[in-house]
C-alpha cells in the first residue's frame, strides 16, 4: 500500500459551497415532484385551486377555451400578479425606510405560521386521506401545532440548530411551491416568465424596488429581517466563527480586492475587519420577488485552519420572493448572499419558483422533470459564475427560469417522440 | 406493476451508478458538479439529435436501414462531442492547476484526472439511462405492465433497464479510456471508445428482429464487460507506472 499519505489536492474541497446550495434546492424540487405525483396523479384538471387567488383573479382558465383565449387570460393573470408584487415591494421599501423592522420580523413569523399550519395542514390532510392513514384528529392537531410552532421558532430565533432551520425553510418552500402548482397550466408558465422578467427589471433598473432596498440596507449597515436559507459555511475550524455563522453583516462593497486571492489576504483578519464582503438581504412582503446578487469576498476564519478554497469567491446572490397563494398570506423572505463567514445564502423565493417549474413539468411527464431539473441547476451555476464575474447586484431567477422553460418546451416537443420511438424498438445508443 | 417493481427497474438501471456515486463521487463536490454538467451536455446532444430526426420518425418502412442511419449519425455526433469535451477538459485542467498554484496546493494528480473523467463518463451514462429508460418507467409504478412484440417474453421495462445498465457501464468507463488515450496519445485507447459505442449501438439493431433481444442483449453485455476489462487494465497500468516513477497518487 502507499507509504506516503495522499496529498490533498485542490479537488477535495473545490465547489463545496455550490453543492451546499444545490442539495437543498434539489431536495425541495424532489419533494414537490413527489407531492405532485401523489396528490395530483389521479386527475389532471380537477387539481385546480378551489378558491380565487391573486393569481387567478383576472381569468379563470377552463379546458374548453381556445389556445388564444388561454394565452390572453394567462397574460392578464400574470400582469395582475406582477403588479401586486411590485406594489407590495414598494410598500416594503417604505416600511424599511421608516425603520419598522420589528413589524417586519413579526410579520415574517406570522406568515411562516400560516404556511406551516394551514398549507401544511391541508397537504397533510390530503396525504392522510390518500393513504388512509389511521390517525385521529386530536393527535394530528397536536402534532401539527407542535410542528408549526417549532417552525416559527426556527425562523425567528437565530439560536436554533442550523439543520432544523434549514429543514424548516425547505419545508416552507416546498409547501408554497406545491400550492402554486395548483394554478392553471398556462397561467403558471406565463407567471413564471413574468416573474423572471420582473426580477430582471427590479434589480437592474435604477428605480427598481429591490435595488432601492439593497442600497438602503447597505447605507444603514443593517440587517433586513427575512426568510433566507443559509448554507453551512465551509470552514474547518469552528472555534471563533461558531457564533458568527448566523450573523448577517452589511458592509460596503469595495472594488479593490483581488478577486482570486481573497482568502489568503483575509485569513488572519478578524470578522469585523475591513475586508469587503457585501452581503445583501432583501425583504419581501406580500408578493414580490427580488433577485439581487452582489459580490462578496469569501473568507476563512480561524487561526490554523486549512485554507478552504471556495469555487465562488465573490458571490452574493440575493433573491427575495414571496408568494400569496391565499390572498391574506404574506411571506417575508430574504435574499441570497454570502454571510460574513463566507456561507452562501439563498432566498426562499428561488426555492419556490424553481420547484413550481419542476412541479409543473411533473404534471406532464417525468422526462420533462429531469430535463428541467438539469436546466435549473445549470442556470443556478451560470448565475453564480456571472456574479463572480460582474460583482454587482444581478437577478438570479431569470437565467434558471428561462433555461427551464426552454428545456421543457424542447423536451416536450422534440425529445419525447424521438426517445419513445427509439426505445419502443429497443434501439439505443 | 406496483411501486416495488418500479423502484426495482430504476435500481436495475442505475444501481451500480448509484453505488459508484456514493463511494467515489459524493465525497468531492467538484466531481458532483462535473457529473451534473456532463449530464446536461449529453442531454443537449440528445435534444439536438431529436431536433434533426424529428421530421423523419416514426419511420414508415419496416426496413432496418433507416434505423441504422439514425444510430450511425447519433453515435458519430456524440463522439464528436466527446472530442469537444476533451478540449474543454484541457482548458479546465489548466485553470485548476493555475488556481492550485495560487492557493499553494499541489497540482492535479493522475487519480484526480481519472476521477474527473469517471464523473464525466458517469454523466453520459446517467443521461442515457434517465432519458432512455427511467423516464419511460412511469407506467411501471402502476398496476400493469407492458410488452413489446419484438421481445415478448420479458416486460418492456425490464428489457430497457437491462440495456440501460449495459450502456451506462459502457459510457462511464469509455470516457476514462478515451481521456486517458487523448492525454497519453495512445491510439488504441483513443479509438476504443468510438468503436465500442458504434458497435453497441449497432448491436441494438438486432433487437429489431423478432426475438432478437435474446441475442442482442448478451452481446451488449459482452461489450460492457470488454469495456470494463480494458479500463481496468489501463488504470492499473497507469497507476503502477506512476508509482514506479515515484509519484504519490
Amino acid at each position: 500500500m502507499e507509504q506516503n499519505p495522499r496529498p490533498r489536492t485542490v479537488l477535495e474541497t473545490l465547489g463545496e459551497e455550490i453543492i451546499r446550495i444545490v442539495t437543498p434546492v434539489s431536495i425541495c424540487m424532489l419533494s414537490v415532484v413527489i407531492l405532485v405525483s401523489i396528490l395530483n396523479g389521479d386527475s389532471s384538471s380537477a387539481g385546480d385551486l378551489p378558491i380565487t387567488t391573486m393569481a387567478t383573479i383576472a381569468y379563470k382558465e377552463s379546458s374548453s377555451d381556445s389556445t388564444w383565449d388561454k394565452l390572453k387570460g394567462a397574460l392578464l393573470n400574470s400582469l395582475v400578479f406582477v403588479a401586486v408584487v411590485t406594489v407590495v415591494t414598494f410598500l416594503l421599501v417604505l416600511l424599511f425606510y421608516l425603520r419598522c423592522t420589528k413589524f417586519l420580523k413579526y410579520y415574517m413569523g406570522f406568515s411562516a405560521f400560516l404556511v406551516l399550519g394551514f398549507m401544511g395542514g391541508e397537504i397533510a390532510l390530503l396525504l392522510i386521506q390518500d393513504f388512509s392513514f389511521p390517525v385521529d384528529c386530536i393527535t394530528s392537531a397536536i402534532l401539527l401545532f407542535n410542528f408549526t410552532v417549532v417552525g416559527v421558532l426556527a425562523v425567528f430565533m437565530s439560536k436554533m440548530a442550523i439543520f432544523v432551520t434549514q429543514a424548516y425553510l425547505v419545508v416552507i418552500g416546498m409547501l408554497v411551491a406545491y400550492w402554486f402548482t395548483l394554478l392553471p397550466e398556462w397561467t403558471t408558465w406565463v407567471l413564471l416568465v413574468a416573474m423572471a422578467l420582473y426580477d430582471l427589471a427590479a434589480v437592474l433598473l435604477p428605480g427598481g424596488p429591490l435595488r432601492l432596498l439593497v442600497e438602503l440596507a447597505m447605507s444603514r449597515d443593517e440587517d433586513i429581517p427575512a426568510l433566507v436559507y443559509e448554507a453551512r459555511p465551509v470552514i474547518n475550524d469552528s472555534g471563533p466563527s461558531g457564533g458568527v455563522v448566523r450573523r448577517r453583516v452589511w458592509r460596503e462593497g469595495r472594488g479593490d480586492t483581488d478577486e482570486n486571492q481573497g482568502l489568503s489576504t483575509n485569513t488572519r483578519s478578524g470578522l469585523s475587519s475591513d475586508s469587503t464582503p457585501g452581503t445583501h438581504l432583501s425583504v419581501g412582503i406580500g408578493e414580490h420577488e427580488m433577485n439581487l446578487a452582489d459580490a462578496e469576498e469569501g473568507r476563512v476564519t480561524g487561526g490554523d485552519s486549512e485554507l478552504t478554497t471556495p469555487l465562488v469567491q465573490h458571490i452574493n446572490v440575493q433573491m427575495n420572493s414571496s408568494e400569496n397563494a391565499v390572498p391574506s398570506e404574506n411571506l417575508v423572505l430574504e435574499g441570497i448572499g454570502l454571510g460574513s463567514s463566507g456561507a452562501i445564502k439563498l432566498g426562499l423565493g428561488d426555492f419556490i419558483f424553481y420547484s413550481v417549474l419542476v412541479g409543473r413539468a411533473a404534471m406532464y411527464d417525468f422526462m420533462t422533470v429531469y430535463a428541467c431539473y438539469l436546466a435549473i441547476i445549470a442556470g443556478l451555476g451560470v448565475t453564480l459564475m456571472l456574479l463572480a464575474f460582474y460583482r454587482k447586484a444581478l437577478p438570479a431567477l431569470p437565467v434558471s427560469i428561462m433555461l427551464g422553460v426552454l428545456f421543457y418546451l424542447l423536451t416536450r416537443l422534440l425529445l419525447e417522440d424521438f426517445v419513445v420511438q427509439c426505445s419502443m424498438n429497443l434501439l439505443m445508443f | 406493476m406496483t411501486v416495488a417493481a418500479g423502484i426495482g427497474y430504476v435500481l436495475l438501471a442505475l444501481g451500480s451508478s448509484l453505488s459508484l456515486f456514493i463511494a467515489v463521487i459524493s465525497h468531492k463536490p467538484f466531481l458532483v458538479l462535473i457529473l451534473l454538467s456532463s449530464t446536461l451536455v449529453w442531454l443537449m446532444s440528445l435534444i439536438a439529435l431529436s431536433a434533426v430526426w424529428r421530421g423523419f420518425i416514426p419511420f414508415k418502412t419496416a426496413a432496418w436501414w433507416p434505423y441504422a442511419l439514425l444510430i450511425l449519425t447519433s453515435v458519430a455526433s456524440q463522439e464528436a462531442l466527446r472530442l469537444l469535451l476533451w478540449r474543454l477538459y484541457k482548458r479546465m485542467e489548466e485553470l485548476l492547476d493555475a488556481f492550485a498554484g495560487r492557493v499553494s496546493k499541489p497540482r492535479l494528480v493522475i487519480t484526480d484526472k481519472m476521477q474527473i473523467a469517471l464523473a464525466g463518463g458517469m454523466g453520459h451514462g446517467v443521461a442515457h439511462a434517465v432519458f432512455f429508460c427511467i423516464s419511460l418507467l412511469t407506467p411501471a409504478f402502476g398496476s400493469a405492465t407492458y410488452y413489446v412484440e419484438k421481445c415478448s417474453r420479458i416486460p418492456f421495462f425490464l428489457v430497457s433497464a437491462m440495456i440501460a445498465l449495459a450502456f451506462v457501464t459502457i459510457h462511464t468507463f469509455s470516457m476514462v479510456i478515451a481521456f486517458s488515450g487523448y492525454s497519453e496519445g495512445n491510439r488504441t485507447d483513443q479509438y476504443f471508445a468510438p468503436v465500442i459505442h458504434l458497435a453497441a449501438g449497432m448491436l441494438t439493431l438486432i433487437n429489431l428482429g423478432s426475438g432478437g433481444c435474446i441475442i442482442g442483449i448478451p452481446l451488449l453485455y459482452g461489450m460492457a464487460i470488454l469495456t470494463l476489462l480494458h479500463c481496468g487494465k489501463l488504470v492499473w497500468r497507469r497507476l503502477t507506472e506512476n508509482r514506479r516513477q515515484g509519484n504519490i497518487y
Side-chain angles (χ1 to χ4, degrees), chain A residues 271-291:
Chain A
L271 290 162
S272 56
S273 73
D274 53 342
S275 56
T276 69
T279 327
H280 296 287
L281 311 171
S282 26
V283 180
I285 282 192
E287 311 82 13
H288 52 259
E289 178 149 322
M290 302 188 262
N291 287 317

Side-chain angles (χ1 to χ4, degrees), chain A residues 196-376:
Chain A
L197 292 174
Y198 163 76
D199 219 25
L200 202 60
V203 170
L204 293 181
L205 291 183
L210 290 176
R211 195 168 170 156
L212 290 176
L213 191 64
V214 164
E215 284 165 7
L216 253 183
M218 250 176 52
S219 64
R220 286 195 206 163
D221 204 30
E222 248 180 46
D223 247 1
I224 311 180
L227 287 175
V228 73
Y229 178 95
E230 184 166 348
R232 243 183 254 262
V234 182
I235 43 170
N236 292 331
D237 177 24
S238 61
S241 65
V244 188
V245 164
R246 308 301 311 270
R247 239 179 69 207
R248 302 172 193 139
V249 182
W250 284 93
R251 305 238 191 261
E252 285 258 311
R254 290 206 304 234
D256 57 349
T257 51
D258 183 344
E259 265 184 47
N260 300 311
Q261 275 290 42
L263 284 177
S264 45
T265 53
N266 288 308
T267 317
R268 299 294 185 263
S269 56
L271 290 162
S272 56
S273 73
D274 53 342
S275 56
T276 69
T279 327
H280 296 287
L281 311 171
S282 26
V283 180
I285 282 192
E287 311 82 13
H288 52 259
E289 178 149 322
M290 302 188 262
N291 287 317
L292 289 178
D294 204 343
E296 180 189 309
E297 220 170 293
R299 191 197 321 214
V300 173
T301 58
D304 310 306
S305 61
E306 196 179 296
L307 278 179
T308 56
T309 58
L311 180 66
V312 165
Q313 300 209 19
H314 302 282
I315 303 279
N316 207 344
V317 182
Q318 188 173 20
M319 296 185 255
N320 188 340
S321 72
S322 58
E323 277 73 31
N324 202 355
V326 179
S328 59
E329 184 99 26
N330 280 313
L331 286 176
V332 171
L333 304 164
E334 196 178 296
I336 292 184
L338 274 186
S340 53
S341 55
I344 295 188
K345 292 190 296 188
L346 179 62
L348 221 52
D350 288 319
F351 279 85
I352 292 172
F353 278 115
Y354 295 161
S355 308
V356 169
L357 198 151
V358 171
R360 243 314 145 180
M363 286 171 137
Y364 178 69
D365 190 33
F366 275 107
M367 200 184 294
T368 44
V369 169
Y370 304 126
C372 290
Y373 169 76
L374 288 171
I376 289 178

Side-chain angles (χ1 to χ4, degrees), chain B residues 45-182:
Chain B
S45 85
L46 279 178
I47 290 183
L49 282 170
S50 62
V52 166
W53 281 99
R54 179 75 177 84
F56 302 102
I57 49 164
F59 292 123
K60 304 290 192 308
T61 66
W64 60 271
W65 59 266
Y67 297 107
L69 193 62
L70 180 96
I71 296 207
L72 194 64
T73 50
S74 312
V75 171
S77 51
Q78 287 201 330
E79 291 303 323
L81 185 60
R82 199 195 295 269
L83 269 174
L84 181 66
L85 282 182
W86 165 251
R87 297 273 153 74
L88 284 176
Y89 166 73
K90 284 307 280 182
R91 286 289 308 280
M92 187 185 69
E93 198 182 312
E94 287 166 26
L95 288 172
L96 281 177
D97 280 336
F99 179 71
R102 270 201 300 270
V103 295
S104 324
K105 283 210 165 180
R107 295 165 64 92
L108 288 180
V109 293
I110 189 169
T111 45
D112 284 341
K113 300 181 193 178
M114 288 201 280
Q115 279 176 346
I116 295 180
L118 183 72
M122 189 182 283
H124 188 185
V126 165
H128 173 101
V130 161
F131 288 98
F132 276 101
C133 169
I134 312 273
S135 51
L136 302 173
L137 276 184
T138 323
F141 285 89
S143 50
T145 189
Y146 182 70
Y147 290 85
V148 208
E149 311 141 5
K150 304 283 174 59
C151 197
S152 52
R153 310 284 180 147
I154 326 174
F156 162 71
F157 304 117
L158 187 59
V159 175
S160 76
M162 292 195 323
I163 299 181
L165 177 62
F167 268 105
V168 164
T169 317
I170 292 178
H171 289 321
T172 310
F173 295 104
S174 49
M175 189 70 100
V176 178
I177 298 174
F179 274 22
S180 169
Y182 292 137

Side-chain angles (χ1 to χ4, degrees), chain A residues 54-72:
Chain A
M54 197 71 61
T56 51
I57 205 169
Y59 165 73
K60 267 202 133 48
E61 185 174 320
S62 66
S63 43
S64 55
D65 292 342
S66 70
T67 312
W68 182 239
D69 274 341
K70 283 194 205 171
L71 188 63
K72 272 194 317 196

Side-chain angles (χ1 to χ4, degrees), chain A residues 6 9 413 417 419 426 429, chain B residues 54 112 131-132 197 207 249:
Chain A
R6 199 183 307 186
T9 61
L413 299 173
D417 285 319
V419 165
L426 296 178
F429 53 87
Chain B
R54 179 75 177 84
D112 284 341
F131 288 98
F132 276 101
H197 195 182
N207 295 332
Y249 64 85

Side-chain angles (χ1 to χ4, degrees), chain A residues 392-426:
Chain A
K392 62 180 274 253
L394 286 178
L397 208 60
V399 182
S400 287
I401 297 289
M402 294 307 181
L403 277 181
V405 172
L406 177 70
F407 271 71
Y408 175 79
L409 290 171
L410 286 177
T411 306
R412 184 167 171 166
L413 299 173
L414 296 176
L415 185 65
E416 192 181 5
D417 285 319
F418 179 72
V419 165
V420 167
Q421 279 301 311
C422 283
S423 289
M424 286 301 161
N425 290 312
L426 296 178

Side-chain angles (χ1 to χ4, degrees), chain B residues 16-76:
Chain B
S16 40
S17 318
L18 184 68
S19 37
L20 199 58
F21 176 82
I22 294 178
V24 177
I25 296 192
S26 65
H27 299 303
K28 304 196 174 173
F30 190 69
L31 293 179
V32 179
L33 291 175
I34 295 277
L35 176 72
L36 286 172
S37 353
S38 173
T39 314
L40 180 73
V41 164
W42 292 104
L43 165 66
M44 293 200 287
S45 85
L46 279 178
I47 290 183
L49 282 170
S50 62
V52 166
W53 281 99
R54 179 75 177 84
F56 302 102
I57 49 164
F59 292 123
K60 304 290 192 308
T61 66
W64 60 271
W65 59 266
Y67 297 107
L69 193 62
L70 180 96
I71 296 207
L72 194 64
T73 50
S74 312
V75 171

